[in-house]
Amino acid sequence: MNQLVTKKPEHETIYLRVRDMILFGEVVPGQPVTIHGLAQAIGTGVTPAREAIRRLTAAGALVSRENRRIEVPDMTAHRLEQIELVRLTVEPALAEAAAKRCKPHDIKELERLDALVDEAIKVGDIRGYLEANYHFHFYLYGLADAQILHRIAETLWLRIGPSLRVVCGRYGTANLVDHHRKATEALWANDPQKTKEAIAQDIRQGMDFVRQTSAD
Amino acid sequence: MNQLVTKKPEHETIYLRVRDMILFGEVVPGQPVTIHGLAQAIGTGVTPAREAIRRLTAAGALVSRENRRIEVPDMTAHRLEQIELVRLTVEPALAEAAAKRCKPHDIKELERLDALVDEAIKVGDIRGYLEANYHFHFYLYGLADAQILHRIAETLWLRIGPSLRVVCGRYGTANLVDHHRKATEALWANDPQKTKEAIAQDIRQGMDFVRQTSAD
DNA sequence: ATTTCAATAATTTGATCAAAAGTTATCTGA
DNA sequence: TCAGATAACTTTTGATCAAATTATTGAAAT
């Protein structure tokens, strides 16, 4: 019998788990991450935890300080500026490419995800908002079939995840606006250019929102 | 007495070593990389080699295939297009920022590195060209004080390193043109905008050159 | 000669251990 | 009470080992 599920290695699982922790605000900028503590928290050995941490530091999601301590990097205005520059190049390009390959079935899925975003905002569920927002964007980006851009976008989201959590915690979800409607409408209209612009606008406003927390 | 050199861990050394191997064309697209073989080649244990490989796969410099084999990714026109898009955003921005903080001493160093590029082209030393070219660009980018952009640029160079080596090997260094003079002149003139444009032009022509090897 | 199947070899993966390095707590002496 | 030194604890790091997985080799059958 064919084995349908290819068992993924432990370090891959841990990597995905910690990645989610960072993306969805379970960690805070400046928070130290120990290889031991991580292994213990997840309930696994230290070897796969090490490898997961290496991958995350390579992606810039964690930083390794000189005393070989590892922690979640904090955000600065300067870093935010760099991230915005690249996001505004990469993600609209992904959205444009996605729009060209998008099927009605995909747009419906995006609308479903967007409804989750709205719901989370209304209820004030920060974690739910972060997850739904991420899934909306990366379902769209996944349609683009552009792995390199996709991965760059992911590393940038890993960098803003913790800060986004902080600012949401401070100001709540009331100030959040959902700009995804414009994107799905452009997709229905089969208009890649408009989709691209909608995502660019969404990014600009998201980054403005995060800017409220960054130290100088 | 103060310890001036902080001993860097083994996995860091190996990482840098393999990184150089990729950047400077000691590996070929499609070439398999075994964790064992690497440890044996460098003459070290398997644990630090593993961690170095994880970092490189996280950066996209190596790809992990489904049969948990790891190899150097090959280049395609589509990938090249994605890389060019991001390079043309990130590196000119770095050059512009660098131009604003550049001291005469730095420009002299850049001219020294550029002379090495010229020399390598003249002599037909491919490895020497790759190294000198890299050092010219990243000495400049290092002046910008923009770590995030800097690291993104590095990952992109890691992706084109093997292909650049292949195309140089096929066509030799005769077809290479050195566009750095325009950049150093703009730096002397204290003209960030011109510096930015010079680097953008250099990137475009470099990518055109690599395009000759990529499969469809 | 080619294909199939089993056996062998090589490799990855995760656990464990010892040594090195760093951090925290305690104790001492003023 | 407070500063400095020592001790105890924690963490990282690299080596080693066993199990699991994958590739490769070789033999047998058609």
Short mmCIF file of all heavy atoms in Angstrom, two decimals, chain C residues 3-17:
data_model
loop_
_atom_site.label_atom_id
_atom_site.label_comp_id
_atom_site.label_asym_id
_atom_site.label_seq_id
_atom_site.Cartn_x
_atom_site.Cartn_y
_atom_site.Cartn_z
P DT C 3 13.75 -3.00 -18.64
OP1 DT C 3 12.82 -2.20 -19.43
OP2 DT C 3 14.95 -2.39 -18.04
"O5'" DT C 3 12.93 -3.74 -17.50
"C5'" DT C 3 12.05 -4.82 -17.85
"C4'" DT C 3 11.75 -5.65 -16.61
"O4'" DT C 3 12.88 -6.49 -16.29
"C3'" DT C 3 11.45 -4.83 -15.35
"O3'" DT C 3 10.25 -5.31 -14.75
"C2'" DT C 3 12.66 -5.04 -14.47
"C1'" DT C 3 13.11 -6.44 -14.89
N1 DT C 3 14.55 -6.72 -14.66
C2 DT C 3 14.90 -7.89 -14.03
O2 DT C 3 14.09 -8.71 -13.65
N3 DT C 3 16.25 -8.07 -13.87
C4 DT C 3 17.27 -7.22 -14.28
O4 DT C 3 18.44 -7.49 -14.09
C5 DT C 3 16.82 -6.01 -14.93
C7 DT C 3 17.84 -5.01 -15.41
C6 DT C 3 15.51 -5.82 -15.09
P DT C 4 9.52 -4.54 -13.57
OP1 DT C 4 8.10 -4.42 -13.90
OP2 DT C 4 10.33 -3.33 -13.27
"O5'" DT C 4 9.67 -5.56 -12.35
"C5'" DT C 4 9.52 -6.95 -12.59
"C4'" DT C 4 9.96 -7.75 -11.36
"O4'" DT C 4 11.40 -7.95 -11.37
"C3'" DT C 4 9.64 -7.08 -10.02
"O3'" DT C 4 9.16 -8.05 -9.12
"C2'" DT C 4 10.98 -6.50 -9.57
"C1'" DT C 4 11.95 -7.53 -10.13
N1 DT C 4 13.32 -7.02 -10.41
C2 DT C 4 14.40 -7.81 -10.10
O2 DT C 4 14.30 -8.89 -9.58
N3 DT C 4 15.62 -7.24 -10.41
C4 DT C 4 15.85 -6.02 -11.00
O4 DT C 4 17.00 -5.64 -11.23
C5 DT C 4 14.68 -5.25 -11.30
C7 DT C 4 14.82 -3.90 -11.92
C6 DT C 4 13.48 -5.77 -11.00
P DC C 5 8.37 -7.64 -7.78
OP1 DC C 5 7.11 -8.40 -7.74
OP2 DC C 5 8.37 -6.17 -7.71
"O5'" DC C 5 9.34 -8.21 -6.64
"C5'" DC C 5 9.92 -9.49 -6.81
"C4'" DC C 5 11.13 -9.62 -5.89
"O4'" DC C 5 12.28 -8.99 -6.51
"C3'" DC C 5 10.96 -8.95 -4.52
"O3'" DC C 5 11.33 -9.87 -3.51
"C2'" DC C 5 11.91 -7.75 -4.57
"C1'" DC C 5 12.98 -8.26 -5.54
N1 DC C 5 13.75 -7.18 -6.23
C2 DC C 5 15.13 -7.33 -6.41
O2 DC C 5 15.68 -8.34 -5.97
N3 DC C 5 15.82 -6.35 -7.05
C4 DC C 5 15.18 -5.27 -7.50
N4 DC C 5 15.90 -4.34 -8.13
C5 DC C 5 13.76 -5.11 -7.33
C6 DC C 5 13.10 -6.08 -6.70
P DA C 6 10.91 -9.57 -1.99
OP1 DA C 6 9.92 -10.59 -1.58
OP2 DA C 6 10.60 -8.14 -1.84
"O5'" DA C 6 12.28 -9.89 -1.23
"C5'" DA C 6 13.04 -11.03 -1.60
"C4'" DA C 6 14.52 -10.76 -1.39
"O4'" DA C 6 14.94 -9.72 -2.31
"C3'" DA C 6 14.88 -10.27 0.02
"O3'" DA C 6 16.01 -10.98 0.48
"C2'" DA C 6 15.19 -8.79 -0.18
"C1'" DA C 6 15.74 -8.78 -1.60
N9 DA C 6 15.61 -7.49 -2.29
C8 DA C 6 14.48 -6.76 -2.48
N7 DA C 6 14.68 -5.65 -3.15
C5 DA C 6 16.04 -5.66 -3.42
C6 DA C 6 16.87 -4.76 -4.11
N6 DA C 6 16.43 -3.64 -4.66
N1 DA C 6 18.19 -5.08 -4.21
C2 DA C 6 18.61 -6.21 -3.65
N3 DA C 6 17.92 -7.13 -2.98
C4 DA C 6 16.63 -6.79 -2.91
P DA C 7 16.37 -10.98 2.01
OP1 DA C 7 16.48 -12.39 2.45
OP2 DA C 7 15.46 -10.06 2.70
"O5'" DA C 7 17.84 -10.36 2.00
"C5'" DA C 7 18.80 -10.87 1.08
"C4'" DA C 7 19.95 -9.89 0.94
"O4'" DA C 7 19.51 -8.74 0.17
"C3'" DA C 7 20.50 -9.34 2.27
"O3'" DA C 7 21.91 -9.38 2.23
"C2'" DA C 7 19.99 -7.91 2.31
"C1'" DA C 7 19.92 -7.54 0.84
N9 DA C 7 18.95 -6.50 0.50
C8 DA C 7 17.64 -6.42 0.90
N7 DA C 7 17.01 -5.37 0.44
C5 DA C 7 17.97 -4.72 -0.32
C6 DA C 7 17.92 -3.55 -1.08
N6 DA C 7 16.83 -2.77 -1.20
N1 DA C 7 19.06 -3.16 -1.72
C2 DA C 7 20.15 -3.92 -1.60
N3 DA C 7 20.31 -5.05 -0.92
C4 DA C 7 19.17 -5.40 -0.30
P DT C 8 22.77 -9.11 3.55
OP1 DT C 8 23.69 -10.26 3.72
OP2 DT C 8 21.83 -8.74 4.64
"O5'" DT C 8 23.63 -7.83 3.16
"C5'" DT C 8 24.16 -7.72 1.83
"C4'" DT C 8 24.51 -6.26 1.55
"O4'" DT C 8 23.31 -5.51 1.22
"C3'" DT C 8 25.16 -5.52 2.73
"O3'" DT C 8 26.39 -4.96 2.30
"C2'" DT C 8 24.13 -4.46 3.12
"C1'" DT C 8 23.39 -4.23 1.82
N1 DT C 8 22.01 -3.72 1.96
C2 DT C 8 21.64 -2.60 1.24
O2 DT C 8 22.39 -2.03 0.47
N3 DT C 8 20.34 -2.20 1.45
C4 DT C 8 19.40 -2.78 2.28
O4 DT C 8 18.28 -2.33 2.37
C5 DT C 8 19.86 -3.94 3.01
C7 DT C 8 18.93 -4.63 3.94
C6 DT C 8 21.13 -4.34 2.82
P DA C 9 27.37 -4.26 3.37
OP1 DA C 9 28.75 -4.71 3.10
OP2 DA C 9 26.77 -4.41 4.71
"O5'" DA C 9 27.24 -2.73 2.92
"C5'" DA C 9 27.27 -2.40 1.54
"C4'" DA C 9 26.92 -0.94 1.36
"O4'" DA C 9 25.48 -0.77 1.50
"C3'" DA C 9 27.56 0.00 2.38
"O3'" DA C 9 28.08 1.12 1.70
"C2'" DA C 9 26.43 0.36 3.32
"C1'" DA C 9 25.22 0.30 2.39
N9 DA C 9 23.96 0.00 3.06
C8 DA C 9 23.70 -1.03 3.92
N7 DA C 9 22.46 -1.06 4.37
C5 DA C 9 21.87 0.02 3.73
C6 DA C 9 20.57 0.54 3.79
N6 DA C 9 19.59 0.01 4.52
N1 DA C 9 20.29 1.64 3.04
C2 DA C 9 21.29 2.17 2.30
N3 DA C 9 22.55 1.77 2.18
C4 DA C 9 22.78 0.68 2.93
P DA C 10 29.01 2.17 2.49
OP1 DA C 10 30.21 2.40 1.66
OP2 DA C 10 29.13 1.73 3.89
"O5'" DA C 10 28.12 3.48 2.44
"C5'" DA C 10 27.42 3.81 1.24
"C4'" DA C 10 26.39 4.89 1.52
"O4'" DA C 10 25.23 4.30 2.14
"C3'" DA C 10 26.89 5.99 2.47
"O3'" DA C 10 26.53 7.24 1.93
"C2'" DA C 10 26.15 5.70 3.77
"C1'" DA C 10 24.86 5.08 3.26
N9 DA C 10 24.20 4.19 4.21
C8 DA C 10 24.78 3.19 4.95
N7 DA C 10 23.93 2.55 5.72
C5 DA C 10 22.72 3.16 5.46
C6 DA C 10 21.42 2.95 5.96
N6 DA C 10 21.13 2.01 6.86
N1 DA C 10 20.44 3.74 5.49
C2 DA C 10 20.72 4.68 4.59
N3 DA C 10 21.91 4.97 4.05
C4 DA C 10 22.87 4.18 4.53
P DT C 11 26.99 8.59 2.65
OP1 DT C 11 27.53 9.47 1.60
OP2 DT C 11 27.79 8.24 3.85
"O5'" DT C 11 25.61 9.19 3.15
"C5'" DT C 11 24.45 9.10 2.32
"C4'" DT C 11 23.23 9.56 3.09
"O4'" DT C 11 22.72 8.47 3.89
"C3'" DT C 11 23.53 10.70 4.07
"O3'" DT C 11 22.63 11.77 3.82
"C2'" DT C 11 23.32 10.10 5.44
"C1'" DT C 11 22.37 8.94 5.16
N1 DT C 11 22.51 7.80 6.11
C2 DT C 11 21.39 7.30 6.73
O2 DT C 11 20.28 7.74 6.52
N3 DT C 11 21.62 6.26 7.58
C4 DT C 11 22.84 5.68 7.88
O4 DT C 11 22.93 4.74 8.67
C5 DT C 11 23.97 6.25 7.20
C7 DT C 11 25.35 5.71 7.46
C6 DT C 11 23.76 7.28 6.36
P DT C 12 22.76 13.15 4.63
OP1 DT C 12 22.71 14.21 3.62
OP2 DT C 12 23.88 13.06 5.58
"O5'" DT C 12 21.40 13.20 5.47
"C5'" DT C 12 20.19 12.89 4.82
"C4'" DT C 12 19.12 12.52 5.84
"O4'" DT C 12 19.53 11.32 6.55
"C3'" DT C 12 18.86 13.58 6.90
"O3'" DT C 12 17.46 13.76 7.00
"C2'" DT C 12 19.47 12.98 8.17
"C1'" DT C 12 19.27 11.49 7.92
N1 DT C 12 20.19 10.58 8.66
C2 DT C 12 19.66 9.62 9.48
O2 DT C 12 18.46 9.48 9.67
N3 DT C 12 20.59 8.81 10.09
C4 DT C 12 21.96 8.86 9.95
O4 DT C 12 22.69 8.07 10.55
C5 DT C 12 22.45 9.89 9.08
C7 DT C 12 23.92 10.04 8.86
C6 DT C 12 21.56 10.69 8.48
P DT C 13 16.84 15.00 7.76
OP1 DT C 13 15.59 15.36 7.07
OP2 DT C 13 17.92 16.00 7.90
"O5'" DT C 13 16.49 14.44 9.19
"C5'" DT C 13 15.73 13.24 9.29
"C4'" DT C 13 15.71 12.73 10.71
"O4'" DT C 13 16.90 11.95 10.97
"C3'" DT C 13 15.66 13.81 11.80
"O3'" DT C 13 14.52 13.58 12.60
"C2'" DT C 13 16.97 13.62 12.58
"C1'" DT C 13 17.27 12.16 12.30
N1 DT C 13 18.71 11.77 12.41
C2 DT C 13 19.04 10.66 13.15
O2 DT C 13 18.21 9.98 13.73
N3 DT C 13 20.38 10.35 13.17
C4 DT C 13 21.40 11.05 12.55
O4 DT C 13 22.57 10.68 12.64
C5 DT C 13 20.99 12.21 11.79
C7 DT C 13 22.02 13.02 11.06
C6 DT C 13 19.67 12.50 11.76
P DG C 14 13.86 14.74 13.44
OP1 DG C 14 12.41 14.73 13.23
OP2 DG C 14 14.64 15.97 13.18
"O5'" DG C 14 14.14 14.28 14.94
"C5'" DG C 14 13.68 13.00 15.36
"C4'" DG C 14 14.48 12.52 16.54
"O4'" DG C 14 15.82 12.19 16.12
"C3'" DG C 14 14.63 13.52 17.69
"O3'" DG C 14 14.25 12.89 18.90
"C2'" DG C 14 16.10 13.89 17.66
"C1'" DG C 14 16.71 12.61 17.13
N9 DG C 14 18.03 12.76 16.55
C8 DG C 14 18.45 13.74 15.67
N7 DG C 14 19.71 13.62 15.32
C5 DG C 14 20.14 12.49 16.02
C6 DG C 14 21.41 11.87 16.05
O6 DG C 14 22.44 12.19 15.44
N1 DG C 14 21.42 10.74 16.88
C2 DG C 14 20.33 10.29 17.59
N2 DG C 14 20.50 9.21 18.34
N3 DG C 14 19.14 10.87 17.58
C4 DG C 14 19.11 11.96 16.77
P DA C 15 14.15 13.66 20.25
OP1 DA C 15 12.77 13.51 20.74
OP2 DA C 15 14.74 15.01 20.08
"O5'" DA C 15 15.12 12.81 21.19
"C5'" DA C 15 15.10 11.39 21.08
"C4'" DA C 15 16.26 10.79 21.86
"O4'" DA C 15 17.48 10.90 21.07
"C3'" DA C 15 16.56 11.48 23.20
"O3'" DA C 15 16.76 10.50 24.21
"C2'" DA C 15 17.81 12.30 22.93
"C1'" DA C 15 18.50 11.51 21.82
N9 DA C 15 19.27 12.36 20.91
C8 DA C 15 18.82 13.45 20.24
N7 DA C 15 19.73 14.02 19.48
C5 DA C 15 20.85 13.22 19.66
C6 DA C 15 22.14 13.28 19.12
N6 DA C 15 22.54 14.22 18.26
N1 DA C 15 23.02 12.33 19.51
C2 DA C 15 22.61 11.39 20.37
N3 DA C 15 21.43 11.23 20.93
C4 DA C 15 20.57 12.19 20.53
P DT C 16 16.91 10.92 25.72
OP1 DT C 16 16.28 9.83 26.50
OP2 DT C 16 16.47 12.32 25.88
"O5'" DT C 16 18.49 10.85 25.97
"C5'" DT C 16 19.24 9.77 25.43
"C4'" DT C 16 20.73 10.01 25.64
"O4'" DT C 16 21.26 10.81 24.54
"C3'" DT C 16 21.08 10.76 26.92
"O3'" DT C 16 22.16 10.08 27.56
"C2'" DT C 16 21.49 12.14 26.43
"C1'" DT C 16 22.09 11.80 25.08
N1 DT C 16 22.15 12.91 24.10
C2 DT C 16 23.32 13.11 23.38
O2 DT C 16 24.30 12.42 23.52
N3 DT C 16 23.27 14.16 22.50
C4 DT C 16 22.20 15.00 22.26
O4 DT C 16 22.28 15.90 21.44
C5 DT C 16 21.03 14.74 23.05
C7 DT C 16 19.82 15.60 22.88
C6 DT C 16 21.05 13.71 23.91
P DC C 17 22.51 10.34 29.07
OP1 DC C 17 22.52 9.03 29.73
OP2 DC C 17 21.67 11.44 29.58
"O5'" DC C 17 24.01 10.86 28.96
"C5'" DC C 17 24.94 10.18 28.11
"C4'" DC C 17 26.16 11.03 27.87
"O4'" DC C 17 25.90 11.97 26.80
"C3'" DC C 17 26.60 11.86 29.08
"O3'" DC C 17 27.99 11.74 29.26
"C2'" DC C 17 26.20 13.28 28.69
"C1'" DC C 17 26.36 13.24 27.18
N1 DC C 17 25.54 14.25 26.47
C2 DC C 17 26.11 15.01 25.42
O2 DC C 17 27.28 14.80 25.12
N3 DC C 17 25.35 15.93 24.80
C4 DC C 17 24.08 16.12 25.16
N4 DC C 17 23.38 17.04 24.50
C5 DC C 17 23.48 15.36 26.22
C6 DC C 17 24.24 14.45 26.83
#
